[in-house]
Amino acid sequence: MIATFLKRSWSTYFGNATAVRDYRSQLRGNKAVWIWGGYLALLILLCAIAYSGFVREQEQSIAQLQSQLNNFYRVVMMMLGAVIVLAAPAMTASTITIERQRKSLDLIFSAPVSPRYFLMGKLIAGFRYLLMLLVLALPVTSVCVVMGGATWGDVVGAFLLLMASG
């Protein structure tokens, strides 16, 4: 009984055919490249605007500069958090809506697939896409580390929290 439960749970989370199919369809064509490029351009633009607001031309003490760099790191993480909070539900809901528009939802449920397996596949595919967005944001957050606004421990901790909220 326990072995059956573990086998069913393993197949639901690892090797989920729905997740593999959705992730492949998300990466098919140039759409993903354009979305990721726009995401990076927007993120870099917003970070440049935020950084220009924190940096002034006048002389500052080291403590003031460090405080401003910490604030810059917080702004970058808040922007990433906003993207994750807005994108996570939208991606999962859109994948289910696309199945309904294609009229393939009845076909999927006529196969020996449980609703739990199907929904977890959709969630896993959305999570993989969000994980890719976080990986693409690493160069922007590494700027915060290089300038001294944060440590790599701060960045890893923040990314773990963002993945959990995603």
Side-chain angles (χ1 to χ4, degrees):
M1 184 166 125
I2 293 175
T4 306
F5 172 75
L6 289 175
K7 182 180 177 186
R8 189 179 44 177
S9 294
W10 180 266
S11 68
T12 299
Y13 297 107
F14 302 101
N16 191 314
T18 306
V20 171
R21 181 178 152 263
D22 280 355
Y23 192 63
R24 285 181 183 165
S25 69
Q26 287 171 347
L27 297 179
R28 191 174 297 134
N30 293 334
K31 183 180 176 185
V33 175
W34 285 106
I35 289 173
W36 289 341
Y39 164 73
L40 279 175
L42 181 67
L43 190 62
I44 290 169
L45 177 71
L46 291 175
C47 287
I49 291 170
Y51 182 72
S52 67
F54 287 119
V55 177
R56 297 183 190 109
E57 295 293 325
Q58 63 191 13
E59 283 189 29
Q60 297 177 4
S61 71
I62 300 288
Q64 290 172 335
L65 188 59
Q66 185 66 36
S67 173
Q68 288 179 352
L69 289 173
N70 286 339
N71 289 337
F72 174 65
Y73 170 72
R74 287 187 193 102
V75 167
V76 169
M77 285 300 142
M78 283 190 279
M79 285 188 295
L80 283 175
V83 167
I84 298 298
V85 166
L86 293 174
M91 281 191 293
T92 305
S94 69
T95 57
I96 295 173
T97 305
I98 289 170
E99 294 291 343
R100 183 170 270 173
Q101 287 175 349
R102 290 182 190 162
K103 299 190 189 296
S104 61
L105 205 54
D106 293 333
L107 180 64
I108 290 170
F109 285 129
S110 67
V113 174
S114 68
R116 175 181 172 216
Y117 183 86
F118 177 71
L119 184 60
M120 284 310 301
K122 297 292 184 184
L123 290 173
I124 290 168
F127 181 73
R128 284 181 184 165
Y129 199 81
L130 286 175
L131 188 62
M132 196 64 184
L133 291 178
L134 286 174
V135 167
L136 287 172
L138 272 175
V140 176
T141 56
S142 67
V143 169
C144 297
V145 174
V146 169
M147 290 191 311
T151 63
W152 281 111
D154 295 337
V155 172
V156 169
F159 272 46
L160 289 174
L161 287 173
L162 288 172
M163 284 191 299
S165 67

